[in-house]
Amino acid sequence: MAKGSNTAVPTGALRVEMGWRAGPGVPAVDASALLLVNGKVRSDADFVFYNQPAHPSGAVRHEGKREAGGRTTDSLLVDLAGVEPAVETVVLAASADGGTFGQVPGLCIEVRDAAGDTVAARFDNPGATVETAFVLGEFYRRQGGWKFRAVGQGYGSGLAGLATDYGITVDDPPRAPRSQVTPAPVPQPPAPAPGRSPAPPVRLTKVTLTKAAPSVSLTKQGGTSGALHVNLNWQTRGPSSGPGPGSGWVRRLSRSLAPQGGLDLDLCALYELADGTKGVIQSLGNAYGALDRPPFIHLDGDDRTGAVASGENLTVNLDHTRDLRRVLVFVTIYEGARSFADLKATVTLRPQHGAPVDFSLDECTVPSTVCALALITNTGDDLVVQREARYLVPERGVSPQRTVDRAYGWGMNWTPGRK
């Protein structure tokens, strides 16, 4: 599509993929969406992005990143049939973290029918320079249906400037002027209703752990109280689906990876309390834990889909940080595959206070059925999250749980169990 052009799209579930070519020096790019009424959001809840991944209506979800063939995509799922009648426009935007869009090669937006995986629209955005945020496209209502417009307008003030311009209250206001768009007055946050406190500003910060920078202090981030939510989501690599962003990745399981049907991954945690008590949190044996009593860790359930909006979730009660010595979060393959090969997984730790922490797992090149994800350690003065992303290979006859125990010196006794 050319910039400014439009086309009709199905009124149903659409996957919006923002793609670019990966490589050294390319900044991180994040997709976001804003649901507008009369050109503005109704509240901060109408902003869907990495820190707020689902709209209250359920119609828009941030699905996260995946890589294939030298390209990276960040996806949104937009169910146009479920968008509230008052919403007239869904803005589809991207922001660059650590650089400008002039450093992002091959930027494009592609709209796919989620059911049939067919392309409904595609816009390759040309000419980016100093912009740090872009409105790539938008869905808008027209004569009882929906259309997609290729927009291609940039901001020099990042995600904060873009969000503020649509009425979002953010905790880090924009500093640089916008570019390639007509300036507009910055809207003031609406006055709170009588008897209500103003809503807290949207936090745009996040921390991504890498091999070069594998740890972060939750204490320094102000994240040592409230609930710490740990989410694991995954996708599997299937046969190539042709050229374009995200080709080679499908949400259904490939036969080679899951010959028996579904891939079942289990999020687990080894814990050690301050009094020396040790144990495991896992769905195997229904050892789900508890938040209001030791071990102050709870596994939310057993998900077999890996969907970003759900996935496997574990919660740690940081109001009891003093009772925790260390927590090792790990994942095992319960059934459906012989190793983590062809698996793409993302781990997100979302403290109630402070910036969320995320990281991706490296490609698995060994016959591993257990992967240590993150180690949370209480040193007394600091609460630290360490990226592990460590694939382990169990010896013959040794369970994945016992394997990760031995690797990290937990020293527990293990017996066979079933779900």
Side-chain angles (χ1 to χ4, degrees):
M1 295 179 63
K3 181 175 178 178
S5 62
N6 63 77
T7 185
V9 292
T11 301
L14 301 174
R15 178 159 290 112
V16 179
E17 296 183 342
M18 300 184 191
W20 61 95
R21 292 197 300 273
V26 177
V29 176
D30 296 293
S32 58
L34 300 104
L35 288 75
L36 307 184
V37 178
N38 295 323
K40 301 292 181 182
V41 297
R42 296 162 297 179
S43 72
D44 292 349
D46 284 339
F47 185 27
V48 177
F49 69 120
Y50 49 77
N51 276 2
Q52 197 164 265
H55 190 263
S57 68
V60 182
R61 298 201 312 264
H62 179 238
E63 291 202 317
K65 292 184 173 68
R66 59 184 185 269
E67 299 176 3
R71 290 188 64 87
T72 303
T73 59
D74 198 13
S75 299
L76 299 159
L77 187 67
V78 181
D79 183 5
L80 292 178
V83 173
E84 298 153 293
V87 174
E88 302 158 344
T89 307
V90 180
V91 170
L92 307 167
S95 57
D97 185 12
T100 68
F101 277 103
Q103 301 167 279
V104 180
L107 179 66
C108 73
I109 182 171
E110 192 167 81
V111 178
R112 290 177 169 269
D113 184 294
D117 199 34
T118 55
V119 176
R122 179 183 171 111
F123 171 46
D124 292 89
N125 188 69
T129 54
V130 299
E131 299 82 6
T132 50
F134 250 102
V135 175
L136 290 170
E138 64 183 14
F139 296 122
Y140 63 98
R141 294 185 188 271
R142 180 59 56 89
Q143 296 179 347
W146 285 89
K147 285 192 168 186
F148 171 80
R149 178 184 289 116
V151 178
Q153 292 180 329
Y155 290 65
S157 48
L159 186 59
L162 183 148
T164 301
D165 212 36
Y166 287 105
I168 299 292
T169 305
V170 300
D171 63 354
D172 47 351
R175 299 178 182 177
R178 295 178 297 142
S179 63
Q180 296 187 4
V181 288
T182 304
V186 176
Q188 299 301 314
R196 294 186 181 179
S197 301
V202 173
R203 298 182 65 90
L204 300 182
T205 54
K206 68 172 180 174
V207 177
T208 298
L209 301 182
T210 63
K211 288 182 179 179
S215 64
V216 63
S217 167
L218 292 185
T219 302
K220 294 178 181 178
Q221 296 282 335
T224 56
S225 63
L228 171 66
H229 298 286
V230 183
N231 172 264
L232 172 72
N233 66 77
W234 63 90
Q235 294 173 325
T236 52
R237 189 185 314 225
S240 176
S241 58
S247 62
W249 286 93
V250 292
R251 299 196 58 83
R252 60 186 180 273
L253 300 174
S254 66
R255 292 182 180 178
S256 62
L257 184 65
Q260 301 301 321
L263 173 64
D264 186 6
L265 301 185
D266 284 344
L267 187 64
C268 314
L270 291 175
Y271 63 83
E272 182 180 3
L273 303 183
D275 63 5
T277 302
K278 297 177 181 179
V280 63
I281 302 295
Q282 58 180 4
S283 59
L284 198 67
N286 296 320
Y288 289 102
L291 290 177
D292 58 350
R293 60 185 185 277
F296 308 109
I297 306 168
H298 182 253
L299 182 64
D300 294 355
D302 183 24
D303 178 74
R304 299 190 178 201
T305 68
V308 173
S310 55
E312 294 266 330
N313 295 277
L314 180 145
T315 304
V316 181
N317 186 349
L318 295 184
D319 289 336
H320 288 270
T321 297
R322 66 184 181 278
D323 297 309
L324 301 172
R325 182 172 295 166
R326 56 177 178 157
V327 179
L328 178 68
V329 183
F330 65 100
V331 60
T332 68
I333 297 176
Y334 182 71
E335 63 181 12
R338 291 179 292 274
S339 79
F340 286 109
D342 292 330
L343 181 75
K344 178 66 176 179
T346 302
V347 181
T348 303
L349 296 90
R350 202 178 301 277
Q352 187 171 335
H353 308 288
V357 179
D358 66 12
F359 61 88
S360 296
L361 298 187
D362 302 321
E363 182 180 357
C364 179
T365 58
V366 295
S368 170
T369 55
V370 58
C371 180
L373 300 177
L375 181 64
I376 304 169
T377 306
N378 181 10
T379 67
D381 298 323
D382 204 358
L383 187 65
V384 177
V385 173
Q386 173 82 22
R387 176 189 187 268
E388 296 294 314
R390 180 182 175 188
Y391 293 106
L392 302 172
V393 181
E395 298 176 2
R396 182 181 295 273
V398 178
S399 69
Q401 290 84 350
R402 189 187 296 270
T403 299
V404 75
D405 179 315
R406 288 178 179 177
Y408 286 86
W410 236 263
M412 293 171 55
N413 295 319
W414 297 90
T415 58
R418 294 185 62 85
K419 291 187 182 182

